[in-house]
Amino acid sequence: MAVTPISRTVVITGASSGIGKALALRYARDRAAVLGLLGRSGGRLQAVADECRRRGAVVQTATLDVRARYEMEQWLQNFDTNTPIDILIANAGVMAGRHLDTDIESSPDSYALLETNVLGVLNSIQPILPQMMARRRGQIGIMSSIAAFIPLPDAPSYCASKSAVLTYGLALRGALRKLGIGVSVICPGYVMTPMTQQESGWKPFVIAPESAADAIVRGLQRNRSIIAFPFLFALLTRLGGLLPNSVQRWTVPRFTVSERAQKDAE
Ligand SMILES: NC(=O)c1ccc[n+]([C@@H]2O[C@H](COP(=O)([O-])OP(=O)(O)OC[C@H]3O[C@@H](n4cnc5c(N)ncnc54)[C@H](OP(=O)(O)O)[C@@H]3O)[C@@H](O)[C@H]2O)c1
């Protein structure tokens, strides 16, 4: 597949922390001169923006909740009109799972998670699709997870949200290919961010956010359909997902996502 050059204007949701922050700093270091950074926490977002500016990038920030469809649409369309977006990374997301003293995840957590991880992705992408289609150019990165490949009993909504955006992204890729727009679905394994620090349980093959950002930037540059990493963990998880459910039952319990915060509170 053709290698596209690193583009100049990059928008990242969830840029105030973890993988999104590492991506912002990574693009600021490269040839991406204009960054649009979104997040909910204004203070942390500004700190990331300041660091990106120190690295030479021009940065605009927006303190927005990805669930706010209208506000997202307004901001993204205004930004794109002034600075056509080359790469949009719908990265913002939350994780919820079974608390240590419960059998299943909580209902409010499930609703909030699906609104953020699924509808939030749509709210980040849909507003700029018409402009990208008119330009016949652009690259979209959708943050899924290795959890899309294997259903974890401790986190049904999280796994469902990541499967949903995986399928959505691959289908959208097919629809946009002839219009010159690339869509890549990003499926990281464990990345050491504030999100994973809230989980208890085994975290095999865990990597630093900076390594994740490198893998994502490379994958987007090559317009990979699925950017899954680290390689061995991604392979094992994808193969594991093909096992019969009766066998999976004996292999997945190690991947618990109960919240350490809950344990600390007890
Ligand atoms: N860490 C991993 O092991 C891992 C593995 C696979 C996939 N992922 C995915 O990677 C993405 C980033 O996760 P991370 O590990 O970097 O977590 P993180 O450090 O907790 O960062 C999450 C980011 O998403 C933003 N966010 C959350 N809810 C939002 C909302 N409703 N509106 C706007 N922004 C919102 C947060 O903004 P504020 O903090 O400002 O609210 C923050 O910038 C997520 O989609 C996650 O599911 C992570």
Side-chain angles (χ1 to χ4, degrees):
M1 189 161 289
V3 176
T4 51
I6 296 175
S7 304
R8 281 193 76 242
T9 302
V10 183
V11 167
I12 304 166
T13 69
S16 56
S17 175
I19 300 172
K21 172 182 170 181
L23 278 168
L25 296 174
R26 174 69 170 73
Y27 277 113
R29 198 190 77 193
D30 283 340
R31 287 179 287 146
V34 183
L35 295 177
L37 305 180
L38 292 89
R40 285 176 308 182
S41 152
R44 282 191 281 116
L45 196 60
Q46 280 314 320
V48 175
D50 289 346
E51 182 53 36
C52 290
R53 289 186 186 108
R54 271 194 289 278
R55 293 175 185 211
V58 172
V59 185
Q60 273 188 50
T61 58
T63 309
L64 279 176
D65 190 316
V66 289
R67 291 171 292 181
R69 179 175 167 184
Y70 177 73
E71 287 82 355
M72 287 290 290
E73 185 178 289
Q74 291 287 103
W75 191 87
L76 284 164
Q77 288 181 348
N78 279 339
F79 182 92
D80 188 80
T81 301
N82 297 325
T83 328
I85 299 168
D86 295 304
I87 302 177
L88 180 123
I89 307 178
N91 161 73
V94 288
M95 152 69 99
R98 181 178 66 82
H99 288 214
L100 288 173
D101 57 354
T102 59
D103 289 326
I104 59 166
E105 62 190 3
S106 85
S107 176
D109 281 354
S110 296
Y111 281 97
L113 187 147
L114 286 162
E115 282 169 15
T116 306
N117 292 9
V118 180
L119 296 182
V121 166
L122 256 64
N123 293 343
S124 308
I125 293 173
Q126 294 287 339
I128 60 145
L129 274 186
Q131 287 95 316
M132 274 192 175
M133 286 162 71
R135 290 196 290 273
R136 300 184 77 84
R137 173 166 72 80
Q139 183 76 29
I140 294 169
I142 296 177
M143 183 57 79
S144 175
S145 165
I146 268 179
F149 303 133
I150 197 148
L152 305 173
D154 280 333
S157 300
Y158 186 75
C159 295
S161 73
K162 295 305 183 184
S163 296
V165 296
L166 171 67
T167 308
Y168 173 76
L170 293 179
L172 192 64
R173 178 183 171 89
L176 295 178
R177 181 182 292 121
K178 59 183 177 300
L179 297 171
I181 300 165
V183 180
S184 301
V185 183
I186 305 159
C187 298
Y190 287 105
V191 183
M192 193 42 78
T193 67
M195 179 182 283
T196 37
Q197 281 156 11
Q198 284 185 350
E199 302 163 24
S200 61
W202 188 41
K203 299 183 186 82
F205 300 96
V206 67
I207 61 169
E210 293 74 21
S211 307
D214 284 342
I216 294 166
V217 170
R218 251 193 331 269
L220 290 174
Q221 226 178 313
R222 293 172 185 162
N223 188 26
R224 293 259 189 259
S225 54
I226 297 181
I227 306 170
F229 57 88
F231 174 77
L232 186 58
F233 190 39
L235 181 69
L236 291 174
T237 316
R238 291 181 84 172
L239 292 176
L242 299 175
L243 292 171
N245 191 258
S246 54
V247 180
Q248 278 185 26
R249 238 165 17 107
W250 301 105
T251 57
V252 294
R254 304 181 79 173
F255 298 88
T256 55
V257 290
S258 307
E259 291 160 276
R260 181 180 293 161
Q262 173 81 4
K263 190 177 179 187
D264 292 344
E266 287 167 359

